[in-house]
Amino acid sequence: MPDFSSIRTRFAVVGAIVLFLVAVLFTLQNTQPIRVYLLFFSTEGSAALVLAFTFVLGVIVGSLAMVPARLRDRKRIKKLEQKAGEDNLSPQSDAPSASSGNQGTQGSERNDDSSDS
């Protein structure tokens, strides 16, 4: 059973239920048959069924169009994660630590302040 504690999740569930009910009402009210032509092919079906098929076909085409970009991004993320892993494994002795760097800065500021008086 999903966790419905989040208000965002509740809105998503309510929205999905409302969308489903609208789709059912649309289907029930659009049962008249229509003929669809594509080049030399034609078919007949209910208006709701034809529109639902067209919608699903559009989702599939849109998803397939996004595949190259997603693969490219996934490859780029993998490269960056490998680079970050290599940076974390490299020795840190060459770079001064953050705490020692801050102390040196604060110490020099104190020296400057004491020389002004």
Side-chain angles (χ1 to χ4, degrees):
M1 182 92 172
D3 180 24
F4 296 115
S5 61
S6 161
I7 190 77
R8 187 175 185 181
T9 304
R10 289 181 185 177
F11 278 130
V13 169
V14 169
I17 291 170
V18 168
L19 191 62
F20 176 74
L21 291 175
V22 168
V24 168
L25 287 173
F26 178 81
T27 303
L28 292 174
Q29 291 181 350
N30 291 289
T31 57
Q32 66 274 15
I34 62 170
R35 183 164 289 278
V36 178
Y37 299 94
L38 179 63
L39 299 175
F40 302 108
F41 177 76
S42 71
T43 187
E44 188 172 316
S46 73
L49 198 60
V50 169
L51 287 173
F53 176 75
T54 305
F55 174 75
V56 169
L57 187 65
V59 168
I60 291 170
V61 169
S63 297
L64 289 175
M66 291 183 346
V67 167
R70 289 187 51 86
L71 290 175
R72 185 175 54 246
D73 290 345
R74 191 176 288 177
K75 186 177 178 181
R76 186 179 302 148
I77 289 169
K78 193 173 185 178
K79 245 187 227 181
L80 288 172
E81 285 175 344
Q82 287 175 352
K83 184 178 178 184
E86 290 171 2
D87 289 347
N88 288 339
L89 295 176
S90 65
Q92 298 290 331
S93 61
D94 296 341
S97 66
S99 60
S100 65
N102 289 341
Q103 289 174 352
T105 305
Q106 289 173 352
S108 64
E109 288 174 358
R110 288 184 194 141
N111 292 340
D112 292 340
D113 292 338
S114 62
S115 63
D116 290 337
S117 23

